[in-house]
Structure formats: structure tokens, C-alpha cells
Amino acid sequence: MKYDAESLMRLLPEVYYERDGVDGPLKALLGVLAGPAEDLNQNIQQLYDDLFIETCEEWVVPYIGDLLGVRGLHTVTSSTSSMRAWVANTLGYRRRKGTLSVLRRLSRDVTGYGAAAVEMFEQLEWTQHLDHIRDQAHWIDLRDPDPLELLDTSLGRACHTVEVRNIEVERGKYNVPNIAIGLWRLNSYPLTQVRAANGPNPGEYFMDPLGRDIPMFNFPEPDESNEGPTTEISVPTALRRYPVHTDIENLRAALAAGQDYTSIYFDSQPVFAVGEFQLPTVTADRILICNLETWQSIPAGYDIGVDPKNGRIKYQISTGHPKQIMVDWSYGFSSDIGGGPYDRGTAVADMMPDTPSWYRVVSTDPSLTGQQGLSTTLDQAVADWNADTTKRDGLIVVLDSDTYTLTSPLAIKAHEGTHLLILAAKWPAPTVLPNGPRDYALISATDVRPALVGDIEITGTAPGTSSEPGRIGMSGFLVNGRVTVKGGNLGGLDIEDCTFAAGSISLAIQSGGVKNRNLELEVQRVVSKGMTITPTIAAATISDSIIDGAFAASDTPCSFTACTFIGKTDVRTLQASDCIFDGMLTCARTQEGCVRYSYFPKGSTTPRAFRCQPGYAIETHPDIPEADLRGRIAPTYNSATLGHPAYRQLSLGCADEIMSGGSNGCEMGAFNRQVQQLKLANLDSALAEYMRVGMHSGVFFEN
């Protein structure tokens, strides 16, 4: 039952309903009581839900785990990985304690990573008797590239000599009592109907809409049975040329012979698909998996060539050169940061205008033609917004992952008293009235990541004396350009879950005319090639972001949480926690603010610092030369290339003071809230309970 004034009135005898009238005092009284009654009703319903692990709130999970005797629980937030699966499956784990399948499932549930468990005695060399052949022992054929590429991974099956060192220190992997736990830290993000970027010559394309060489990833299908060995198709890993090529060639041979064949990579959910705009995709048997690093020609018998290692496509010359290629593919990254198709529902709910009454939807899908509020270009949707100067809140929703080339630049106006949110999301139209108003509750900020090519300019048009200047928000885009705030009176700029891939300056607050002194800049989960803020604005708040370039805000008070800055950083005042400043940090006013649990290099000018590296290590280890500590305690990354799956991911050789130096005991920088160290601590605790007696385990990262 819903508790509101009208519903409560209907519970009374009809005579009181009639005497009270439409808006009588009795209805007003019940309206006051309805709010607390509805809150109490929801609380009672939630108390019932909290009795079950499947429906309880996240904070209840450890308490249910305590009832089951699940020990060693470190709190891991649901935004990164939840303990819910671990607690829910505890009884199942205990029924099959000690089996390899349990160790694999346990590792996956505890960490949220793709996982494999391998008994290392099966990969030891030994002299075999012809009457007792070990089928699981494989010898490397140097003419076969497949096992060579998987050498020393959890998916490899090559034989090794015995290592007697302890596997727990990640050295002695190959020994009789050892079980290796392989973890895939990178996530796979699937995209559908992405417009491939043109390559250097006609008929040549990049899977990435911005024309970058990015490896294609497998999007693993859920394995609920969890039986059998881990395979490449069941973990989020980069696609290799050889197995995909072999799978397609087997499919071609089966079709030619009229036989049935179950494809590994191209079953009901293909790992990638290529086709022209609004035309059927190329069938798997017409695709050649090859090396396209030099864009070599495709032989006859195939329609296209695909290079999964670089994400490149080339059409066969005889088929012509189509201009609009749409692809489905998956890329890899280590966290839900930057523009991506991951679920942004909670973040978008916080960004939503209070009372949206104006909207436009943007899509290039011809099937949506005729729907109310539809625009085929973002330029037209913004022009409609700029032309309407009435005070209201509005939404511009981009419905697909297509590429939108912007005018130079795309000018967005923030009128006085307005709030506009531009986001990438799914938003189904009404099924009964296709031209009727849309339900804002149906917006689903997931599964899409549009690419915007061009620059964006934002101008606040409110008078300088206005008490309610306009506000602009952006969420979920891959931008090949920069965002510039022109001189004016803008009240707020919120940018979340976006990647700015081009230009040394991605966000700038420019002076001229009325200055944006009241502007509040909020940036969350953003990847940017730098940032400039001039002149003074009210505040800049940045969290869970990578600023890969100079950050210039010498007149602005700043607050940073869990960010990675590459290059020089200039601010006026600073509050920072769990950050990496991989470049000189300069704070104009050191009497205000604080920097805690962060890294900054020698020579930086900062406010008071608390447990910051390498200064804290130098202070607590006076017996070690300062030069040695500074040389050892410095951030190192697996990749510095934007678009690489391991972009700005701290390498395993990075100093422990940085890998575990955050306020939560986890790594500093943009990936702090992945709480990798807590996940591994949980896994160590869990493995100790479920390992067989006399067996030892070690954890190895596969990517």
C-alpha cells in the first residue's frame, strides 16, 4: 500500500470523505501523517529484505557473514566488489571444501576478478612409463604458437622443472603441494554499434572511434557451474590472434563439409561483430584473423580482415570501400573510470536536475524517427536548449554509442535559474504513446558510450549579480576535444565519468566580461589530458580521476580525493587525500589545508602533510639514506598510454609505501577505491580455510 493523503482518506468511511471536500482540513492532516507513515512502511519492508543475503543492504552483509562464521571480513564497497557472493555461497563452499572448483569460485567471489585455480603438480616434468601416460603433461611444440603465448600463465599447460621456493612469496610456483590462484585484474567493457574510425587508406578502419590502436577483449560469459578448467573465454582477457583464427577456420571447414560446429568465440554472443551501417554484420566464416600492423591486403575468399591485438579492420579490395562501419567489441580497463558503458545509475541520480521539464533525445537510429523530442545531432539538441530561455531544468540524453562530430565549437548556454544535464544513457520511449512524454524514472545510465569529436564551450548567461546562475552537467562521454568555460556567470559545472582524449588542456575556465567567481567545479571519475583554471572560481573538487598533464589553478581553492596527477600541479589552497602527485606540487597558501596519505616529490610546496610519501618513510627510517628511500618510493605504471588497458595502473614492482599507503590501507591514486589490498587480504583469509591439508597457495596476477 502507498501512504499518501488520498490513500488514507479512502480508508475512512465515505461520509467523512464527502464532508471534507476536495482539499479539506482532514485531508491536510492525513497528508502530514502520510510522510512518516510511508517512511515507516519502507523501513519495515527493508527490515524484511535485510533477513536475506540476496536482498539485504550492503552494510548487513558482514553481520549475516558473522552468523555463518565467515571470518576475516574486510569491508569492500559494492561499487567495486561486494562480499555478498562470498557470504551467500559459504555453505556451498563448505560442502565441497578442498576441491579445485571451490577455490576458483571462492577467488572470484571474494575479489570480483576473473580467477583460475591450477594444481601445479600437473605441470611438473617427470619420467613417464608407457603403461601410465599422464595426459595432462604437455610438451611444447616449437612450431605451435598457441602454448608458447600462454607460457607461465594460469592458462598454460607446459611442463616445468621443480621449484622448491615458497609459492606464497610468488617464487616457487611449480611444486607438488602448490596451487596457483591466477587473477585477471582488468575488466572487460562491451560496446555495441560503435562507428569505426577511418584508417590511413580507404577500406581501413579502427575499432576505436577515435582511431587508436586498442586491443580487443573477450567479454566472459558467466560460468555458474564453475566446473572444469578455466579457459580464455571465461575470463576478461585480451583476444589473441591464434585461437580466434583457429576457431573461425574450424567453423569454415565445418560449414564446407555440412557438419555442425559450436564456435568458441562466435556463438550466441560473438566477441565482436562488424557490419555496414543499417546492414547485416559480416558472418564469422567471412572474417580472416590476421596481423594488420602494416595494413597488408586481404586474400580472396574473405570479406574482411580483423586484427584483435590492435583493433584494426581491413576490407577486401574486391568488396569495395564502405564508409560507415559499425562494430560491436569490448575493450579492457582496470576500473570504472572515464567514459565507459558501465553502470552509472547512482552517480547520475545525484546529478539529475530536481524538476526536469524539458528534454531532447539524440540518436542516429532511423527506427526512432518521429519520436517526440528526437534530434539526430547533438548540435541541434543544444541549439533547441539555447533558444529557450525560460527558467527550467532540462535533459539531453544520447541513446547510443555512435560518434557525433560537433560544430567548432559546440556552444552551450547556461541560462539564469536553469540546470541542464547532458548524459549518455538508455531511455526507452513510451510503448503506448510513442510521441508522448517520457518517464524520467526509466533512464538507465549504462551500456552506452558515445564519442564526441570537437570542442565544447559553455557560457553562463546570468547577470553578474544573479543569485541563481545556471548549472551544466556531463556524464558518460568519450571526448576528442576540450571543454572550455567562457567568461560569464556559471553557477556549477559537473563532469563525471568522461574521458578527454585530446589536447593538452581539456577543461579551462576563461576570463573575459563577467568572471565566473561563483563557479563550483566538480569532477568525478574523469580521465583528462590536463586542466587549467583561470582566474579565481569558488572551488574545484576532483575525485577518483586521472589528470595526465599540467594542472594549473594557482588562484583556486582545490579539494582532491584519490586522484593521480601526472605533471606539475599548481593550486592556491589544497585539501588532498590518497593522491599521487607525480610531478611538482605547488600550493600558494600553505597555512590552510592538509595533504594526507599521498605522494609528492621532493621540492614540492604543500600545507601540513600527514603520512605522505616519501617524507613519512624518511622520518620513520632515519637509519636509511634519504636518497635510497626517494629512489625506491616513487610511482611506476604498467602503461602511460591513454587507451591501453593498463593505463596508469600501478605496477606490481611499485613500492609498498605507495601500493598500501592510502588512508584505507590500499594504493594511492585514482584506483584507490578498487581496494585491491583489502580484496587480497580477504582472499588470503578465505584460502586458509578451504585449502586441503598440506597444500600451499599463491596468488599471481595475469594482467
Side-chain angles (χ1 to χ4, degrees):
M1 175 182 173
K2 182 179 180 181
Y3 288 87
D4 55 30
E6 184 65 26
S7 300
L8 294 178
M9 284 291 294
R10 291 296 182 182
L11 296 177
L12 298 176
E14 188 69 20
V15 61
Y16 298 113
Y17 187 85
E18 294 294 336
R19 289 179 180 177
D20 195 54
V22 179
D23 293 313
L26 180 57
K27 187 174 183 179
L29 174 62
L30 293 179
V32 174
L33 299 176
E38 179 64 24
D39 293 341
L40 180 61
N41 180 54
Q42 292 181 0
N43 183 261
I44 292 174
Q45 293 179 359
Q46 186 59 53
L47 288 174
Y48 179 79
D49 291 340
D50 287 344
L51 296 176
F52 307 97
I53 187 64
E54 296 85 352
T55 57
C56 69
E57 292 187 340
E58 194 65 32
W59 67 269
V60 184
V61 172
Y63 293 92
I64 298 178
D66 187 60
L67 294 175
L68 294 173
V70 179
R71 53 194 180 87
L73 290 170
H74 292 277
T75 302
V76 179
T77 61
S78 58
S79 61
T80 55
S81 176
S82 174
M83 297 180 291
R84 191 183 303 271
W86 180 10
V87 174
N89 295 324
T90 293
L91 295 181
Y93 296 152
R94 290 172 178 170
R95 293 190 187 103
R96 299 192 298 166
K97 180 181 291 189
T99 63
L100 203 63
S101 60
V102 162
L103 298 180
R104 173 188 168 191
R105 181 67 175 269
L106 178 73
S107 302
R108 187 181 67 184
D109 289 347
V110 170
T111 64
Y113 300 141
V118 183
E119 295 174 311
M120 303 315 300
F121 75 86
E122 293 186 350
Q123 297 188 21
L124 293 179
E125 293 179 347
W126 69 352
T127 302
Q128 301 195 61
H129 195 283
L130 293 179
D131 291 336
H132 182 57
I133 299 295
R134 291 176 63 223
D135 293 333
Q136 66 269 32
H138 297 277
W139 304 99
I140 292 294
D141 184 351
L142 297 181
R143 296 166 295 182
D144 186 359
D146 190 51
L148 293 175
E149 290 183 341
L150 296 176
L151 198 62
D152 290 330
T153 70
S154 296
L155 301 176
R157 293 294 180 264
C159 290
H160 294 73
T161 54
V162 173
E163 294 184 71
V164 296
R165 292 174 291 185
N166 193 337
I167 191 174
E168 295 179 358
V169 296
E170 301 181 7
R171 293 293 185 88
K173 185 176 181 180
Y174 301 96
N175 203 348
V176 174
N178 291 348
I179 293 180
I181 306 297
L183 298 179
W184 281 260
R185 293 186 294 170
L186 299 181
N187 301 319
S188 181
Y189 298 91
L191 295 168
T192 58
Q193 289 300 287
V194 178
R195 191 177 300 269
N198 293 326
N201 300 300
E204 299 172 352
Y205 305 92
F206 296 93
M207 289 275 186
D208 179 67
L210 302 187
R212 301 172 295 177
D213 283 329
I214 296 181
M216 301 163 60
F217 264 59
N218 167 55
F219 188 72
E221 299 179 358
D223 180 12
E224 299 301 334
S225 65
N226 206 58
E227 299 295 340
T230 302
T231 60
E232 286 183 84
I233 201 68
S234 62
V235 291
T237 185
L239 293 177
R240 297 186 297 120
R241 296 179 183 129
Y242 184 82
V244 183
H245 170 79
T246 302
D247 183 49
I248 291 180
E249 292 304 310
N250 291 338
L251 175 62
R252 286 167 59 89
L255 291 175
Q259 300 173 350
D260 293 332
Y261 176 75
T262 302
S263 174
I264 299 175
Y265 292 96
F266 296 91
D267 54 1
S268 58
Q269 186 179 1
V271 292
F272 68 84
V274 181
E276 298 182 46
F277 184 68
Q278 295 299 308
L279 292 176
T281 59
V282 179
T283 57
D285 61 296
R286 305 297 299 171
I287 299 175
L288 174 66
I289 302 298
C290 57
N291 185 340
L292 291 177
E293 292 181 358
T294 58
W295 297 105
Q296 61 266 35
S297 60
I298 305 303
Y302 300 92
D303 291 342
I304 61 172
V306 174
D307 185 353
K309 183 176 180 180
N310 298 308
R312 295 185 176 189
I313 308 167
K314 182 161 184 177
Y315 268 72
Q316 223 280 343
I317 295 178
S318 61
T319 63
H321 297 147
K323 295 183 178 180
Q324 299 185 58
I325 301 301
M326 309 302 291
V327 296
D328 299 346
W329 68 296
S330 299
Y331 71 93
F333 196 51
S334 53
S335 182
D336 294 351
I337 291 179
Y342 51 86
D343 188 358
R344 296 172 283 110
T346 302
V348 168
D350 295 336
M351 297 179 69
M352 285 286 287
D354 294 332
T355 56
S357 58
W358 181 98
Y359 75 88
R360 290 292 184 274
V361 290
V362 181
S363 177
T364 57
D365 187 352
S367 65
L368 302 179
T369 301
Q371 289 193 7
Q372 182 174 329
L374 176 68
S375 299
T376 57
T377 65
L378 190 58
D379 303 88
Q380 183 58 54
V382 170
D384 293 344
W385 166 265
N386 292 340
D388 189 350
T389 59
T390 57
K391 292 185 178 181
R392 72 276 184 255
D393 294 340
L395 290 173
I396 296 178
V397 183
V398 182
L399 304 178
D400 52 41
S401 298
D402 206 343
T403 300
Y404 293 86
T405 302
L406 309 176
T407 57
S408 185
L410 176 68
I412 306 174
K413 294 182 180 180
H415 304 300
E416 182 180 16
T418 64
H419 182 186
L420 174 66
L421 175 60
I422 305 174
L423 74 153
K426 295 287 188 180
W427 195 8
T431 56
V432 179
L433 300 173
N435 293 321
R438 290 174 176 252
D439 184 356
Y440 294 97
L442 297 179
I443 292 177
S444 177
T446 184
D447 296 334
V448 294
R449 187 202 64 178
L452 309 182
V453 179
D455 296 334
I456 301 172
E457 288 185 353
I458 301 173
T459 305
T461 62
T465 58
S466 174
S467 61
E468 49 176 357
R471 193 176 192 94
I472 300 293
M474 287 184 61
S475 173
F477 294 97
L478 172 63
V479 184
N480 192 24
R482 66 181 67 181
V483 171
T484 301
V485 175
K486 304 280 288 184
N489 187 11
L490 182 65
L493 176 61
D494 305 319
I495 301 180
E496 298 187 4
D497 303 291
C498 291
T499 296
F500 299 91
S504 58
I505 301 176
S506 299
L507 305 173
I509 313 300
Q510 293 186 350
S511 61
V514 180
K515 298 182 180 180
N516 298 285
R517 294 189 179 277
N518 297 320
L519 173 59
E520 296 179 352
L521 174 66
E522 294 192 13
V523 176
Q524 295 187 50
R525 297 173 302 280
V526 164
V527 177
S528 173
K529 296 295 287 184
M531 190 176 298
T532 300
I533 302 176
T534 56
T536 301
I537 65 172
T541 303
I542 305 177
S543 63
D544 304 291
S545 299
I546 302 174
I547 310 300
D548 200 343
F551 183 92
S554 56
D555 294 325
T556 299
C558 297
S559 177
F560 305 144
T561 304
C563 294
T564 298
F565 292 86
I566 309 297
K568 188 176 181 181
T569 302
D570 288 329
V571 298
R572 185 177 72 182
T573 62
L574 180 61
Q575 291 280 356
S577 178
D578 304 307
C579 292
I580 292 177
F581 296 94
D582 199 354
M584 198 60 62
L585 170 61
T586 302
C587 184
R589 299 183 181 179
T590 58
Q591 301 91 343
E592 302 178 42
C594 177
V595 181
R596 57 195 294 271
Y597 298 100
S598 299
Y599 169 87
F600 53 82
K602 184 178 182 180
S604 297
T605 304
T606 70
R608 53 184 178 145
F610 179 74
R611 293 202 173 186
C612 291
Q613 301 294 349
Y616 183 67
I618 295 172
E619 177 184 342
T620 55
H621 296 85
D623 54 322
I624 303 177
E626 178 179 335
D628 293 347
L629 290 173
R630 291 192 180 276
R632 181 179 64 83
I633 304 174
T636 56
Y637 311 97
N638 288 327
S639 174
T641 303
L642 179 60
H644 190 280
Y647 172 67
R648 295 303 174 188
Q649 181 188 55
L650 292 178
S651 64
L652 296 179
C654 190
D656 289 339
E657 288 84 351
I658 294 178
M659 291 295 288
S660 304
S663 60
N664 55 0
C666 299
E667 66 183 84
M668 301 175 179
F671 306 122
N672 170 268
R673 294 185 184 176
Q674 288 295 301
V675 292
Q676 175 179 292
Q677 285 68 26
L678 295 186
K679 294 176 183 178
L680 296 179
N682 284 342
L683 181 58
D684 287 342
S685 176
L687 289 175
E689 180 180 353
Y690 292 97
M691 289 289 294
R692 295 196 301 269
V693 175
M695 304 296 288
H696 305 281
S697 64
V699 176
F700 300 86
F701 292 123
E702 303 297 329
N703 57 20

